Amino acid sequence: MPTITTTDGTEIFYKDWGPRDAAVVMFHHGWPLSSDDWDAQMMFFLDHGYRVIAHDRRGHGRSSQAATGHDMDGYVADVVALTDSLDLQNAVHIGHSTGGGEVARYVAHAKPGRVAKAVLISAVAPIMVQTDANPEGIPIAVFDGLRVQTATNRAQFFYDFTLPFFGYNREGAEIKEAVRLNWWRQGMMGSILAHTQGIKAFSETDFTADLEAIAVPTLVMHGEDDQVVPFATTGKLSAEIVAGAVLKSYPGYPHGMPTTNADQINADLLAFILG
């Protein structure tokens, strides 16, 4: 399996498909998943002639189960190591959920020439947790509950979590059991330590300064029925903070819309990249 080894000895697994001289699209997955969550997008862009890259975050998927580094700065340091190793130039970086926060921080501080465009899908930016500065955020008690469930009841909790993640708990939803099991498979491949500690990274990291520093064309995509990362306090605000950002919101779409609504999301991503 293709991997790089970071300075602390962590092996980061990645996929790198397509012509070496083609335009690069790099994908950043959400918690607690892996690069496999981008299957529908990677195949789509590969078929359209792009070079597609995605990695498993440390402690997730096929990357090694490191004991440390499970914070946003650690995640981004691994992205820097990978993009430096592959010498990626003018890449489009697309992040979903936690991966959207990862993209925001990476793009804000990337070396000149590394990034052409950025896309934040159902992203956790600018900040999820409720604070004095973010009174409409989610109370910390909710994330404390996620930590307890992940640390003590992970298998059942992950399976149950797929219902709101994909909007399968909505009246009339077509529940696809294989999609739920594939999500569960990805989650259970990773480290329980990384998943438990990573909750702080996606819920308490403040990306406001990162969003303000982004200077490349940026697309913000968010489902208006996102039950995991509420649109009004994340995607909507992020699009207002990033200079010149384009916002596309989707009535009725869930958090996992890159899977449930892949055809629409892929078409919109391609239009933005070509635009």
Side-chain angles (χ1 to χ4, degrees):
M1 298 192 300
T3 62
I4 62 162
T5 302
T6 66
T7 55
D8 70 349
T10 302
E11 290 188 346
I12 303 296
F13 167 83
Y14 66 95
K15 305 173 185 179
D16 184 356
W17 304 338
R20 301 302 91 175
D21 59 349
V24 176
V25 181
M26 182 168 173
F27 299 92
H28 305 245
H29 67 79
W31 176 95
L33 304 171
S34 74
S35 56
D36 292 355
D37 198 43
W38 290 110
D39 282 355
Q41 285 69 44
M42 292 188 73
M43 292 302 293
F44 175 84
F45 281 98
L46 185 66
D47 287 345
H48 281 77
Y50 288 86
R51 178 184 176 187
V52 293
I53 296 169
H55 70 299
D56 291 358
R57 190 170 295 119
R58 65 171 50 216
H60 295 63
R62 288 139 295 204
S63 291
S64 58
Q65 297 195 3
T68 59
H70 306 298
D71 54 66
M72 195 54 59
D73 288 340
Y75 298 161
V76 172
D78 293 342
V79 173
V80 171
L82 178 57
T83 55
D84 282 354
S85 177
L86 299 177
D87 192 25
L88 301 185
Q89 302 293 328
N90 297 311
V92 176
H93 285 265
I94 301 174
H96 176 252
S97 196
T98 301
E102 184 177 276
V103 165
R105 180 148 296 181
Y106 170 73
V107 170
H109 305 285
K111 298 174 183 176
R114 289 285 189 214
V115 180
K117 295 183 178 182
V119 183
L120 310 181
I121 304 178
S122 310
V124 297
I127 184 171
M128 288 192 69
V129 73
Q130 184 182 66
T131 65
D132 290 343
N134 185 42
E136 300 304 314
I138 298 172
I140 189 69
V142 174
F143 299 112
D144 289 341
L146 294 182
R147 273 182 275 269
V148 170
Q149 288 297 307
T150 301
T152 64
N153 188 35
R154 184 170 65 145
Q156 186 63 54
F157 172 58
F158 279 7
Y159 180 70
D160 294 342
F161 193 70
T162 60
L163 291 174
F165 190 95
F166 293 114
Y168 288 162
N169 57 348
R170 295 307 197 201
E171 184 177 355
E174 179 188 357
I175 299 174
K176 295 185 177 181
E177 185 65 14
V179 170
R180 298 186 68 191
L181 292 175
N182 186 45
W183 195 102
W184 185 89
R185 173 192 66 84
Q186 291 178 64
M188 295 305 293
M189 285 174 65
S191 158
I192 190 170
L193 175 65
H195 292 161
T196 303
Q197 292 186 354
I199 293 169
K200 181 179 179 68
F202 75 67
S203 64
E204 298 181 47
T205 303
D206 189 343
F207 298 97
T208 303
D210 303 302
L211 297 172
E212 292 172 342
I214 292 176
V216 298
T218 301
L219 173 64
V220 177
M221 311 170 77
H222 215 111
E224 294 181 16
D225 192 34
D226 191 324
Q227 301 172 65
V228 178
V229 181
F231 166 65
T233 55
T234 55
K236 185 175 184 294
L237 293 182
S238 290
E240 295 171 358
I241 296 171
V242 178
V246 174
L247 173 64
K248 287 192 71 69
S249 64
Y250 301 84
Y253 281 22
H255 187 64
M257 64 184 187
T259 297
T260 59
N261 304 90
D263 289 349
Q264 183 66 60
I265 298 304
N266 291 348
D268 290 345
L269 285 171
L270 181 62
F272 172 70
I273 291 171
L274 292 175

